[in-house]
Structure formats: C-alpha cells, structure tokens
Amino acid sequence: MGVSPDVRAQYEAVIGLEVHVQLLTKSKIFCSCSTRFGDPPNQNTCPVCLGLPGALPVLNREAVTMAMKAALALNCAINPRSRFARKNYFYPDLPKGYQISQYDEPLAESGWIGLGTDGTGKRVGITRVHLEEDAGKSLHEGFPDSDSKSYIDLNRSGVPLIEIVSEPDLSTPEEAHTYLTRLRTLMLYLEISDCNMEEGSLRCDANVSVRRRGATGLGTKTEVKNLNSFRFLQKALAYEIDRQIEVIEGGGEITQETRLWDSREQRTYGMRSKEFAHDYRYFPEPDLLPLVISEAWKDEVRRCLPELPQARESRFITQYAIPNQDAYLLCQSRAVADYFEEVARLSGEPKLTANWILNDLAFLLQENAKPFPGVSASNLAALLALLQKREISGPMAKEILAEMIRTEKSAAEIVAAKGLRQINDAEQIAATVREVVAANPKQVEQYRSGKTATLGWFVGQVMKATRGQANPQLVQEVLKRELAG
Ligand SMILES: [Zn+2]
C-alpha cells in the first residue's frame, strides 16, 4: 500500500477511542465470585455469572466507587441517577445472551483530559464513562483438539469494566498514543486497574475516519478492534488512515464496518458490517434498580483522590526545577514519583536524583532483572551525597550502585570494602600523570603537534593507572598543564 506524503498531507484523520478498563475489585460486579486472573478455567463462577435462569444480580458498591474515581479524575459530571441496560447479542462467551451495560443513562458524561502536563496541551473530550460487565473468554488454541473445538472460560464473565469513550478529538496516531498513555497513568494512580494490556485489563478500540484537510463534515468511520498494545495502536491507526485515503483517492467509498488489526500481517481487515445501536435492542435492566449517587458519596470519593499525575508533573517542574521530560518520566508511576521525592528530600539534590533514577538505576535494574527500586531511598541518597562531596567520581558511583543492587549493601560499606575513594589530591595525581607522560613519548609528540584529541586517551590512561579513583576533572587540568611542556 502506498500513500505518498504529499497526498497524505491533503487529508486529516479524525480519531476517537473507546477504552475498556478492568477494575481491580476483589469480586465481580454482580456476584461475589473472585476476579483473580489466571485461575483454572471456570473455577470462579456461580449461577449469576453463568447466566442460569432465576439468578439475580446485586451491584458491587466498590465497582461504582472505582468508576466514580475515574470519572472525577477525567473531569466528568457524575449523573445523580444512572441506569443499567441489557445489550442483547449472541456470542458463546456471553451465557445470558445479553451484557449488562449502561446505555442512555450512563454513570458520567462531559469530561476531558489534557495531553500535556496539568493545564497544558490539547484537551481531549470524554463523552462518557459507564459501568458494565465483562464477557467470558473463548479459548481457540492450546488444546489437543483445538483444530476442531473451542473452549469457554467464564472466570472473566461478570468482572467489572468501565468504558471510557472519547470525543473524536484526536488527529494523529501519535496523539492517540499520548492520550492512551495519559489515561493509563491516571488509572494506575487511582489504583483502580492494573491496566495490563497483555492480560486484557486495558483494551482499546478506535473509531477512525479521514476528511480533506479543512473540511468540517465527518467522513464515514470504521471501528478498528484488537489494538492490544501501544505499538499496535499506532501502527493500526497509521495503516487504517492510509487505507481510507487510498480508497477515497481511487474514487471509492468507505464502508462503515468493524475491522480487526492483524499484527502478524500488519494490516486491518473487515470483520463484519458495523452494528448500529438498534441492533442490540437495548432496554433497561429489570433486575437492577437505577443507580442513585448522592452528593455525599461523590464528595467522599473526591476527597479520596490522590494528587493526579499531570498535576504532580507540573509541581515537579516548578518545585524541583527538573526538566519537563524528567518530570514526565518520573510521574509515569506513582511508586517511582514517591521514591524520587524521598531521595530528593534526603539528598537535597533533586536534579542529580532525577538523573540517577532515570538513567543508571533504571539501566542497572533492567540489566540485573531486579524490580524497582532495587536500593532503598536512603541508600541511594547516601551514594549521591558521596558523589556530591566529590569523595567518589561518577564512574565509581556507577560501579558502587551496581554492587548495591547486587548485594543490597550500603554505599559506605562498598566504598570501605573496596578502598574506593576519589583522589582529589592534585600532587598525587600529578605524579601519576608524569609517569604516564614519560612512558608515552609518541602520543606526547602527537599532542604537541596539534592533535589535541589525544587528551582523552591520556585521561583514560591515568584513570586506568589509578583504578578509576582519580578525580577526572583534576586529571584533565593536570594533564593539560604537563602536556603543555
Ligand atoms: Zn459469579
């Protein structure tokens, strides 16, 4: 498929995302079965979530509280009265023949989320946030007779979900990616979902259309499903946008349909013609009362909200004077942001702390396959203090940190045991420098004839001779003096 950049530039995409988030309640939304992931198939089931005749649903209050947290954090208005509805369709993983969802009276509406830090960047409208139950899972692979049979696991049937529907305010795959990242971080901060895309606790569908740049009407949209990673989301959107442009450029028309992203073939393909709402014959769920949310309950939930990630990011930028990108990365996880604040407080060095957490610590944890944080906040602060006092050099600090992660010893213990101490004595360094200079007349000649890049080589030799303990800045100064002859 080929759409040239020139042609692509004549169009703009209109994208809206529908995101399903599995809530972290202990029990399901309408029964007391466990929501635990990975249990043996069909273990966590009962007459309610199996859809047996006569079983009656009872709403889980915790699921409502979690949904309210999400809605408030997304600046939505929570409806004082909302209602559950039956969405009727047949599928083997849906034993009742309908899904209990919310339709014309959702939990919350009319919110927004910014794509930048607090109060900056594009605002993406949130059309609605509603509660619903998850379906079971069809297992098409992994059994000896999988070529002729599919199996059903109903452990997931009745697990609470919220669906977050955005306005079609996104115009590029990159914006969609940023939106989903912001949304995910928010849910993680609220501790209402683990947002694990591989396990399906965060799922994303996209509505996509294209129109000529500058046009105001909307083109016919397709719904792209199966976007189960951030990478797939971007790739699938880019593919689908180009596909639609190509159809229109070729004189064709876009068909309103549901398309699946095939990650193996790197393309979307038509799955079925898009259902319209009336196909589902929605009607109010007769077994559940309307959901009434009092002002008091709403206030209570609002009071429990933590500092939200984008607000925290803004605060980090002003309070700690760290670069925007560092603040963004640190605030991606509440645990990392908490850890940063603790180390920064103990060390009094926020910039240095941000640097070490985002670079060396992150790298070493990955290299050693250790979970975050690997070293306690006080131990990292102590290491940074040694560095700050110039008792150890940067390369030594890296070596010590690696050892700290491996052995869980403190920086001071490792420094003492290894005899690692930075040499800040100019005389002592000068002695080594003179030895190195005397032993390498050829390189000295090169340096003096104008090849000053040789200086780096000399620094390396001196560092090697001092087992990395010489203060590198001092080494440079002394070397320049000695080499000048
Ligand atoms: Zn159950």
Side-chain angles (χ1 to χ4, degrees), residues 62 64-76 78 112 162 185-192 296-309 311-312 334:
E62 189 57 20
V64 180
T65 301
M66 288 185 174
M68 284 163 73
K69 281 187 184 173
L72 290 172
L74 289 165
N75 306 295
C76 289
I78 291 183
W112 56 268
I162 49 173
T185 308
L186 192 59
M187 300 300 126
L188 290 174
Y189 262 67
L190 297 172
E191 295 175 333
I192 60 170
W297 188 5
K298 218 159 69 179
D299 289 344
E300 189 191 316
V301 172
R302 189 177 278 122
R303 271 197 305 275
C304 294
L305 292 181
E307 183 183 21
L308 299 179
R312 195 172 203 189
R334 202 167 152 181

Side-chain angles (χ1 to χ4, degrees), residues 361-370:
L361 182 64
F363 172 79
L364 287 167
L365 289 177
Q366 199 180 17
E367 201 183 48
N368 291 286
K370 287 268 171 102

Side-chain angles (χ1 to χ4, degrees), residues 316-346:
F316 276 17
I317 294 166
T318 47
Q319 183 179 339
Y320 299 112
I322 55 173
N324 294 14
Q325 182 65 9
D326 286 6
Y328 169 76
L329 291 171
L330 290 168
C331 291
Q332 288 290 89
S333 142
R334 202 167 152 181
V336 173
D338 287 347
Y339 180 77
F340 161 77
E341 292 211 90
E342 180 68 4
V343 179
R345 187 181 64 79
L346 292 169

Side-chain angles (χ1 to χ4, degrees), residues 382-397 400 411-412 415-416 419-425 468-472:
L383 175 74
L384 297 182
L386 289 176
L387 182 62
Q388 199 54 27
K389 281 186 285 182
R390 299 175 64 187
E391 287 183 22
I392 54 173
S393 67
M396 280 158 74
I400 294 166
V415 167
L420 290 169
R421 210 150 259 280
Q422 178 156 270
I423 304 168
N424 287 316
D425 178 353
Q469 284 174 257
N471 177 332

Side-chain angles (χ1 to χ4, degrees), residues 31 33 45-46 49:
C31 62
C33 293
T45 53
C46 74
C49 54

